[in-house]
Structures are given as C-alpha cells and as structure tokens.
Amino acid sequence: MECIHVVAALIREGDKIFAAQRGSGEFKGLWEFPGGKIEDGETAQQALAREIREELAIDISVGEKYSTVRYDYSAVRVVMDCFWCTAPSTAITLCEHSDMRWFTKETLATVEWLPADKVLVKKIALEL
C-alpha cells in the first residue's frame, strides 16, 4: 500500500477552530482541516504554510505539532502531521474548497468529516 505524508493546519482563534469543506474529488462535501502533501525538499512546516497560501490565500504562523494521525484508506495509507496555527488575518479566500466554518468543540460533530480527520476531531473536542 502506498504511503503519503501530509500536513494539516489546526487554525485557531480563541475557542474556535477553522475547517473547510472539500469542493471536488472523491471526498467532495466532507469537511477537513486544510493542508496537503509535503513536497521534496520541504519541511512539514514549510509545506503547511505553502498549502494554506494555495488553498486559502492567507499566511499562517505554524506552531507546535499537535498530533500525527495514521489512517488507511482503500488505496493509500495517510500519515498526517497536524500543527496548531494562527492567522494574522482571517480574510480567507476559498481557492479549492466549497465552504468554510469556525467550529467550537460543541459544533465539531455537526458536519461529516473525512475519515482521517474524524480521529482528530474526537481528540480536539476533548481539549478545546
């Protein structure tokens, strides 16, 4: 099984955390913490900053690593490093997603998450 290493941004503002709804592909309509694949020569933090600029058109400050999630999809194993992040501006432009929201721990369970992100949602809901 192919293994891909990805990163995810846990963008936090006070007691809220940002997530976006996939706009296309196999998991269209499901919610995720934004991020993407690490390219050759990039650190996880560099990849995350680049991916967020590409997906949301904002710059973020990547903070400490929160968790690593491993999830086996039918064709690929995903290893996802998740980092707490802050954004100096919340003027977000969705470049790839169809919707976005700021969630509290009480509202995290109100949407359908990507399978790998569900693992993270349960943990975050206990700690936010």
Side-chain angles (χ1 to χ4, degrees), residues 3-103:
C3 182
I4 59 169
H5 195 175
V6 300
V7 286
L10 305 175
I11 304 170
R12 198 168 176 181
E13 185 172 294
D15 67 343
K16 294 185 178 156
I17 190 164
F18 178 86
Q21 186 179 40
R22 285 220 172 173
S24 62
E26 179 183 356
F27 296 104
K28 180 180 180 179
L30 298 183
W31 288 80
E32 67 179 349
F33 297 108
K37 291 181 185 176
I38 300 172
E39 294 182 357
D40 289 342
E42 284 183 320
T43 65
Q45 292 88 342
Q46 290 168 334
L48 192 52
R50 175 188 49 76
E51 286 284 349
I52 298 305
R53 273 192 305 277
E54 291 173 1
E55 293 182 7
L56 306 176
I58 60 168
D59 288 316
I60 58 168
S61 295
V62 180
E64 69 182 60
K65 185 173 169 182
Y66 174 65
S67 183
T68 297
V69 174
R70 290 168 179 78
Y71 191 85
D72 291 343
Y73 288 91
S74 58
V76 67
R77 171 173 288 151
V78 172
V79 176
M80 181 171 67
D81 289 333
C82 309
F83 292 85
W84 287 117
C85 300
T86 56
S89 167
T90 55
I92 295 168
T93 301
L94 296 178
C95 302
E96 297 179 12
H97 295 89
S98 59
D99 199 3
M100 65 180 182
R101 289 188 201 160
W102 290 91
F103 291 90

Side-chain angles (χ1 to χ4, degrees), residues 108-128:
L108 279 169
T110 62
V111 298
E112 186 63 32
W113 293 88
L114 280 171
D117 290 65
K118 282 182 188 178
V119 175
L120 208 50
V121 166
K122 289 177 185 175
K123 185 175 179 182
I124 290 169
L126 295 173
E127 298 178 11
L128 262 186

